[in-house]
Amino acid sequence: MPIQYYLFLSLALFSIGIMGVLMRRNAIIVFMCIELMLNAVNLLMVAFSKMYGNADAQIFVFFIMVVAAAEVAVGLAIIVMMYRKVHSVDINILNRLKH
Amino acid sequence: MHLHEILFWFLSFMAIVCALGVILSRNPVKSVLFLIATFFSISGHYVLMNAQFLAVVNIIVYAGAIMVLFLFVIMLMNLNADAEPQKSRLVQMAAVLSGGALFLVIIAALRTVDLNNKAMITSEGDLGLIHNLGMVLFKEYVLPFELSSVLFLAAMVGAMVIGKKEEVIQNP
């Protein structure tokens, strides 16, 4: 497969993630779309790693997964805490930092 | 068409359809299940590129651990009702337009880029096997590897501190 196909596939997945972040009101779904965008980048990175025959990019993908796991743990804890306070995960309600 | 190409198109189609299902389904539990299917098809792509270590790690970490965490949180909050309030049509339209515009702009920018056009991503080479990756990881990247354990410790402590019930502070 030419490298362009992988480029377009991961670009499509990334754009779908951006649409989801802008479109949904559930904070958990927004968070899941961020995970989708991270995975699109991972896919492209592995494809470029194959193209250049360099293993460093795959190590970077491994570290991206590590950071994503830590991020999910903290982020979901924040969402659970918010849910306890305001009994909702609607991001239109969670905008109190503005006031 | 070779088997490799058939698998590529099938996995790509499945990844994009399931990603659309994540952002379009009303039920958050269904979104999580679609996202797990997306991760599995991305792992299939890794196997096609012979990056088997990353394929297995992707399934274990993402589909196994992270998505189970999401599923637990959704079910604890009892959000599996379909009564999620939606953004207005205008905002949804603007979101789709801006996402599609980004897609088009990057495609238009990349169309003429001077990539190595003869580079075919095949399933040959043992670059992504665990032997090579382990040599690179524990020779050149051993410091970031150890630092990531500190990161995990910090994330664990942070999650517990944030998530614990608040005690009533007694004024003296």
Side-chain angles (χ1 to χ4, degrees):
Chain A
M1 287 287 125
I3 183 75
Q4 274 91 355
Y5 290 0
Y6 283 102
L7 206 60
F8 294 150
L9 170 66
S10 58
L11 188 54
L13 287 177
F14 193 85
S15 304
I16 290 170
I18 284 183
M19 282 179 209
V21 168
L22 295 175
M23 213 163 87
R24 299 300 297 259
R25 279 175 63 177
N26 192 335
I28 296 178
I29 309 261
V30 171
F31 209 33
M32 275 160 48
C33 289
I34 293 174
E35 297 297 314
L36 187 63
M37 285 151 70
L38 281 174
N39 259 281
V41 173
N42 282 352
L43 178 64
L44 189 60
M45 220 152 172
V46 175
F48 276 130
S49 147
K50 283 297 283 187
M51 176 176 151
Y52 287 110
N54 192 344
D56 289 0
Q58 301 202 10
I59 301 292
F60 269 77
V61 170
F62 179 67
F63 282 122
I64 289 175
M65 285 178 190
V66 167
V67 172
E71 173 219 332
V72 163
V74 177
L76 282 178
I78 291 174
I79 290 178
V80 168
M81 186 197 67
M82 286 293 214
Y83 184 75
R84 272 200 213 127
K85 294 255 187 215
V86 298
H87 295 285
S88 167
V89 288
D90 191 340
I91 55 171
N92 283 11
I93 299 176
L94 302 181
N95 59 2
R96 298 198 175 162
L97 279 181
K98 280 203 300 195
H99 305 303
Chain B
M1 275 172 92
H2 296 295
L3 182 65
H4 190 265
E5 295 179 28
I6 295 171
L7 278 175
F8 174 84
W9 290 113
F10 173 71
L11 287 172
S12 307
F13 182 74
M14 185 173 148
I16 289 181
V17 167
C18 292
L20 283 175
V22 172
I23 67 169
L24 292 182
S25 68
R26 295 267 175 268
N27 192 336
V29 176
K30 275 185 196 157
S31 283
V32 171
L33 295 179
F34 273 124
L35 195 57
I36 291 175
T38 311
F39 288 160
F40 268 100
S41 54
I42 288 177
S43 286
H45 275 295
Y46 290 161
V47 172
L48 274 188
M49 288 187 263
N50 210 12
Q52 272 137 18
F53 172 68
L54 283 179
V56 172
V57 167
N58 199 36
I59 286 178
I60 291 175
V61 173
Y62 266 111
I66 293 181
M67 296 330 280
V68 169
L69 212 58
F70 272 106
L71 215 53
F72 268 142
V73 168
I74 286 176
M75 290 184 169
L76 278 178
M77 290 181 185
N78 211 3
L79 287 179
N80 42 1
D82 290 351
E84 184 202 340
Q86 296 294 314
K87 277 191 178 171
S88 67
R89 283 276 163 222
L90 189 68
V91 176
Q92 287 188 353
M93 201 73 83
V96 172
L97 272 183
S98 44
L102 180 83
F103 183 66
L104 279 183
V105 165
I106 299 184
I107 276 192
L110 289 178
R111 200 172 47 83
T112 56
V113 78
D114 187 22
L115 278 173
N116 187 2
N117 275 323
K118 292 192 288 292
M120 297 292 280
I121 309 294
T122 57
S123 57
E124 284 141 21
D126 51 356
L127 191 67
L129 299 189
I130 195 162
H131 178 256
N132 286 319
L133 285 185
M135 292 305 251
V136 178
L137 181 62
F138 289 109
K139 269 183 182 162
E140 297 171 36
Y141 292 95
V142 67
L143 183 64
F145 181 77
E146 296 294 339
L147 282 180
S148 67
S149 69
V150 180
L151 175 74
F152 266 123
L153 191 66
M156 190 181 76
V157 172
M160 288 171 91
V161 168
I162 291 171
K164 77 173 185 194
K165 283 244 192 283
E166 285 190 21
E167 293 162 17
V168 181
I169 300 168
Q170 310 229 328
N171 286 327

